Amino acid sequence: MISVEDLRLAVTLARSESLSAAARILNVSPPALSMRLRKLETLLGLTLANRDARRLSLTADGERFSRESALLLEQLEALPESFKQQDERLVGTLRLAAPFGYGRQRIAPLLARFARLHPQLCLHLDLRETPWPDRHDSDAVIHIGHLNDSLWIAKPLTQNNRWLCASPAYLEHHGVPSSPDQLTEHRYICIRENDEDVTLWHMRKGAERKTLRIEPMLLSNDGSVARRWAEQGLGLVLRSQWDVSDAIASGGLVRVMADWQFDSAPINLLVPSRKLRSPRVQALVAFLEAALKA
């Protein structure tokens, strides 16, 4: 008989690049996971996955079994809610994925508040460099920036302007730019994320539009590292308002060209359409919308 652990195994394999990665998620050793997979394949009379030491790919049967397993697990998780008490307390598990920086600074404190409102709800916060739907086991995903391609439904949470900043020491040594033409004389720090073209800046001031191709001297995929480089006087950085507002308030950074607007990076909550009716997800969406817009 197929067990719940077999269903979780199939879903985890579909979202992992290797047996080792799947084993880490399930907290078992790779040999133990390989043995479980062989037993499941024997039980079904099917080959579910092609695997070697480094790669894992599901067969057509494996992909179908994974999809059906995911649906069954969702139904099992939703079962307690169908018998919930009249006070409508939320129960079960809710999994949210978010980028490292924004997840630590903004989402984690909000989830702490959400947990106090729903003490019987088990919350998982999965922080990743670039979380994306269908690549891991999440009920919802925080995504910063414009969406390229996703079948998930986007729930806009808040606007997120990008501000051009530098340290007081840098500006004292290199001068304060006041127009796009003066930017060519400066050093740049860039954040590489979500496969965006981070070296092409679009800016506007009223009806005036400007585009600038920059050459970064420092480049990182970690926004907090880029911000600290800017605080150390290493160049100008174009960074999300949520990340630099505290540094500006404390004097560690200075916002420049405030009369020019740069491309924003809106913050969205991505939810699969099949999850939208879940009371847990609906409660999370309503809570985050109210908290972030406030």
Side-chain angles (χ1 to χ4, degrees):
M1 179 179 294
I2 294 175
S3 66
V4 172
E5 287 71 23
D6 292 332
L7 301 180
R8 292 198 179 102
L9 170 62
V11 171
T12 302
L13 290 175
R15 293 163 174 163
S16 304
E17 295 182 351
S18 65
L19 277 177
S20 297
R24 286 194 297 271
I25 295 173
L26 294 172
N27 197 28
V28 297
S29 67
L33 182 63
S34 182
M35 183 179 299
R36 283 176 53 184
L37 177 56
R38 287 197 299 270
K39 288 182 178 179
L40 179 58
E41 289 178 325
T42 300
L43 176 64
L44 295 172
L46 300 170
T47 299
L48 298 178
N50 300 312
R51 61 271 196 190
D52 55 34
R54 295 185 177 182
R55 297 294 301 170
L56 171 71
S57 61
L58 295 185
T59 63
D61 288 329
E63 291 179 354
R64 179 189 171 192
F65 185 74
S66 173
R67 287 194 301 269
E68 296 293 334
S69 296
L71 291 174
L72 287 173
L73 285 174
E74 286 180 14
Q75 292 172 2
L76 287 173
E77 287 187 1
L79 187 60
E81 288 190 21
S82 66
F83 294 96
K84 64 185 177 181
Q85 303 173 29
Q86 291 183 353
D87 59 11
E88 296 188 350
R89 286 180 291 180
L90 296 179
V91 296
T93 301
L94 180 61
R95 301 174 181 87
L96 175 65
F100 280 116
Y102 191 75
R104 281 193 300 263
Q105 294 190 38
R106 294 293 189 267
I107 298 301
L110 292 178
L111 277 191
R113 287 168 48 191
F114 189 70
R116 294 188 187 98
L117 295 173
H118 307 286
Q120 291 186 321
L121 190 60
C122 179
L123 295 172
H124 293 190
L125 177 59
D126 185 9
L127 299 182
R128 295 169 177 256
E129 177 185 326
T130 308
W132 196 248
D134 298 325
R135 295 183 186 173
H136 44 85
D137 188 15
S138 298
D139 299 300
V141 172
I142 297 288
H143 178 77
I144 300 179
H146 295 284
L147 299 170
N148 294 322
D149 181 25
S150 175
L151 297 178
W152 286 25
I153 295 173
K155 309 288 290 186
L157 295 178
T158 183
Q159 287 298 318
N160 175 40
N161 295 324
R162 283 173 168 153
W163 290 355
L164 188 61
C165 306
S167 71
Y170 174 87
L171 296 174
E172 182 178 357
H173 186 266
H174 295 275
V176 181
S178 59
S179 69
D181 294 338
Q182 296 177 4
L183 287 176
T184 57
E185 305 168 6
H186 287 267
R187 296 171 56 90
Y188 305 104
I189 302 166
C190 282
I191 302 98
R192 183 183 66 252
E193 54 188 359
N194 297 335
D195 297 323
E196 293 182 15
D197 186 354
V198 296
T199 64
L200 186 64
W201 289 2
H202 301 280
M203 60 202 86
R204 65 186 184 278
K205 179 181 177 183
E208 189 176 1
R209 300 288 190 273
K210 291 286 186 179
T211 299
L212 177 67
R213 175 70 71 178
I214 64 167
E215 184 71 29
M217 301 300 295
L218 290 164
L219 186 66
S220 175
N221 66 337
D222 189 318
S224 60
V225 168
R227 188 195 66 248
R228 286 195 292 271
W229 282 341
E231 292 173 340
Q232 293 166 9
L234 297 177
L236 292 166
V237 67
L238 185 62
R239 189 65 186 132
S240 294
Q241 175 184 346
W242 63 264
D243 187 41
V244 296
S245 56
D246 289 344
I248 291 174
S250 66
L253 289 176
V254 176
R255 184 184 178 190
V256 300
M257 292 180 57
D259 54 342
W260 285 84
Q261 289 183 304
F262 293 80
D263 281 350
S264 64
I267 297 172
N268 295 284
L269 184 68
L270 306 183
V271 182
S273 57
R274 66 183 184 276
K275 297 268 188 179
L276 275 180
R277 294 185 179 180
S278 163
R280 294 188 296 262
V281 173
Q282 289 179 348
L284 177 67
V285 171
F287 175 81
L288 291 179
E289 284 179 339
L292 291 173
K293 288 179 180 177

